Amino acid sequence: MDADYLPLPLDGVRVCDFSWIIAGPQATRIMADLGADVVKVENESHLDSIRLGLQVDPENPTYNGSGFHSDFNRNKRGIQANLNHPDGRKAVEKLIQNSDIVIENFSAGAFARMGFSWERLQELNPDIIYVSCSGFGHVGRDASYVTWGPTAQAVSGNTYMSGLPDMPPAGWGYSYLDHTAGFYGAIAMLMALRHRKQTGEAQFVDMSQIETGMVLTGVPVLDYQVNGREYVRVGNRSKWPAIAPHGVFRCAADERAPASQPEHNDDRWIAITVEGQDHWEALCSVLEAPELFSDQRFSDNDLRVNYEDELESLIGEYTRNRDCFELMYSLQERGVPAGVCQRTDDKMVRDEQLAEREFYREAPHSEIGVHKYEGYPVSFSAARWRMDRGAPLLGEDTMAVLTEVLGYTHEEVAQMMSELAVS
């Protein structure tokens, strides 16, 4: 069967999406990729701030010019509604009545203060699934605290875990915890849909972003519980088990970086792990470094660990003049775990594995044009995911949603637009 004709797993499911920034939009992006009709509810007076970030044309920024926003909100529809206008609020309430799921990632209690408590949502739609993804959840001493991905990341323990042993915690350079929360949010929606199908029961899903981060600390927590070992930052090295070399090493400059970022040509690195003597012998052979192999300081793993600083410095002298990809393939042929530290352009242009899996697919956007988007990393034998469009323009689908889904006439919507109830 042609893949384009395979079913979308969530076809027929509608999500009323009040989420913003990353955590919530990541969750609803997964739902949209799998076929759900995700309708993003926005208002220009309370704009999703990532609409303003990472503009395709930084010299001419617009509400719709962010590639960052387009990626996290692809395949969705978008309406503008003014909740302070009675007709705008009524339209949103009708959308909730015609949805399976409502999701938001405001601070706990904010959605209720907007007039959409769990009790009110049940009045509007007794079958509704309500997912709230807040920093600490709706219960507990810290429920009222406001968080962002990086602060939630710190409280969860993940920031402490990243960095060099003689330096303060480095944290993550990007808010990965927002993505973790998004993944858990999508799982929660799917589980709630499953539960409702089996029991007919609506459900309030209270998710804590802090707790989605704490599960990422599972190995150090288990190590402390079982072995009594305190976690220590080791950078790229390995402590349990202690093996060396285990790190990243600079390679030769190349001319692969985009013309707009030539400074990245010299930012080439390779990760190498030596787990045993056979790997060590192979590494020295590939590096053409017999003197490194004969150096008695590195004759076994325990000694290599003891002289790790000197070892890494010497290996770096050999890798500095080697092409990172050529070196990676040579090491892999000898069974040595090695991988180029790929940049975005490596992955999107040169990675044959990702190309064969069609991970990056193109989709049109009404303002910024056709671009590639990161894919959904699953291939189904009897279903598909989609990449139909980039993010909706601000209010792009207001007319279509209100007339096709909510039953308004074009004249009624035009009147509401003239009164700024919707736009």
Side-chain angles (χ1 to χ4, degrees):
M1 179 183 291
D2 190 318
D4 291 338
Y5 293 97
L6 290 172
L8 291 162
L10 297 182
D11 188 24
V13 173
R14 180 169 294 118
V15 179
C16 181
D17 184 8
F18 287 87
S19 68
W20 65 323
I21 315 296
I22 300 174
Q26 172 69 280
T28 53
R29 182 180 77 171
I30 294 171
M31 303 295 281
D33 286 354
L34 296 176
D37 180 18
V38 177
V39 181
K40 188 175 176 69
V41 180
E42 300 181 90
N43 188 272
E44 190 173 0
S45 62
H46 298 284
L47 199 66
D48 185 343
S49 59
I50 68 166
R51 279 189 174 274
L52 306 176
L54 298 178
Q55 297 275 316
V56 172
D57 183 2
E59 300 300 318
N60 300 285
T62 72
Y63 287 161
N64 305 304
S66 169
F68 194 39
H69 176 268
S70 187
D71 185 29
F72 283 105
N73 293 278
R74 66 187 189 219
N75 294 324
K76 304 175 187 178
R77 296 199 284 180
I79 68 170
Q80 271 210 86
N82 179 5
L83 295 177
N84 294 317
H85 190 290
D87 289 339
R89 178 171 289 273
K90 182 178 179 181
V92 170
E93 290 182 343
K94 289 187 70 172
L95 179 58
I96 292 172
Q97 290 170 339
N98 286 272
S99 296
D100 297 283
I101 301 169
V102 173
I103 182 172
E104 47 84 9
N105 60 317
F106 306 127
S107 299
F111 203 43
R113 292 190 293 273
M114 293 167 60
F116 298 111
S117 64
W118 172 229
E119 292 74 21
R120 177 56 180 156
L121 292 174
Q122 286 185 298
E123 289 176 0
L124 293 169
N125 185 344
D127 295 327
I128 200 69
I129 292 166
Y130 168 37
V131 178
S132 176
C133 175
S134 59
F136 287 88
H138 287 243
V139 176
R141 180 197 66 181
D142 300 331
S144 64
Y145 286 9
V146 176
T147 65
W148 289 77
T151 55
Q153 183 174 292
V155 175
S156 71
N158 285 282
T159 299
Y160 178 84
M161 291 167 54
S162 177
L164 299 172
D166 56 347
M167 298 289 287
W172 295 332
Y174 185 61
S175 185
Y176 291 103
L177 196 58
D178 279 325
H179 299 272
T180 306
F183 302 149
Y184 274 92
I187 293 170
M189 284 187 276
L190 294 173
M191 294 302 98
L193 285 170
R194 169 80 171 169
H195 176 81
R196 191 182 67 180
K197 183 177 181 179
Q198 291 180 315
T199 68
E201 296 173 350
Q203 192 157 184
F204 170 36
V205 179
D206 173 16
M207 191 174 74
S208 162
Q209 190 175 13
I210 301 293
E211 293 167 25
T212 71
M214 290 178 66
V215 299
L216 300 180
T217 68
V219 172
V221 169
L222 183 63
D223 194 25
Y224 178 77
Q225 289 179 318
V226 175
N227 300 312
R229 294 193 293 238
E230 294 277 358
Y231 182 82
V232 294
R233 290 185 294 278
V234 294
N236 293 310
R237 294 177 175 177
S238 175
K239 188 172 180 63
W240 307 109
I243 56 175
H246 184 288
V248 294
F249 303 91
R250 195 157 202 161
C251 293
D254 61 25
E255 297 181 358
R256 293 187 177 97
S260 61
Q261 298 172 307
E263 68 277 8
H264 288 179
N265 288 326
D266 197 34
D267 193 23
R268 305 292 354 193
W269 301 81
I270 187 171
I272 301 173
T273 295
V274 167
E275 297 180 301
Q277 283 300 106
D278 56 336
H279 287 167
W280 172 242
E281 182 176 352
L283 173 63
C284 294
S285 174
V286 170
L287 293 179
E288 299 179 358
E291 64 277 14
L292 195 62
F293 182 71
S294 62
D295 193 320
Q296 291 304 303
R297 292 175 298 173
F298 313 132
S299 59
D300 62 37
N301 182 69
D302 290 342
L303 287 169
R304 289 194 291 273
V305 170
N306 288 338
Y307 291 99
E308 198 160 14
D309 289 338
E310 295 90 336
L311 176 62
E312 289 185 349
S313 178
L314 288 170
I315 292 175
E317 292 179 9
Y318 287 98
T319 62
R320 191 66 176 93
N321 297 314
R322 299 290 293 269
D323 176 84
C324 57
F325 284 95
E326 179 273 331
L327 180 56
M328 175 182 72
Y329 293 131
S330 295
L331 289 170
Q332 289 178 352
E333 286 178 359
R334 297 290 298 273
V336 179
V340 169
C341 301
Q342 292 201 117
R343 303 181 308 225
T344 300
D345 53 302
D346 294 323
K347 294 183 292 181
M348 296 190 72
V349 178
R350 287 176 291 277
D351 193 306
E352 295 180 3
Q353 173 68 19
L354 294 176
E356 187 167 342
R357 288 184 60 84
E358 299 182 316
F359 180 73
Y360 291 104
R361 298 188 186 179
E362 291 185 340
H365 181 278
S366 298
E367 182 171 309
I368 64 178
V370 176
H371 286 274
K372 288 184 177 180
Y373 294 81
E374 61 180 281
Y376 184 73
V378 171
S379 177
F380 302 97
S381 63
R384 65 184 176 93
W385 59 274
R386 61 177 176 170
M387 186 72 76
D388 292 346
R389 59 180 279 190
L393 306 183
L394 186 60
E396 180 175 0
D397 304 295
T398 300
M399 179 64 77
V401 171
L402 266 64
T403 56
E404 297 170 11
V405 177
L406 306 184
Y408 289 94
T409 66
H410 284 77
E411 292 73 21
E412 289 172 328
V413 177
Q415 179 62 34
M416 293 166 67
M417 287 182 169
S418 71
E419 298 177 6
L420 301 183
V422 297
S423 54

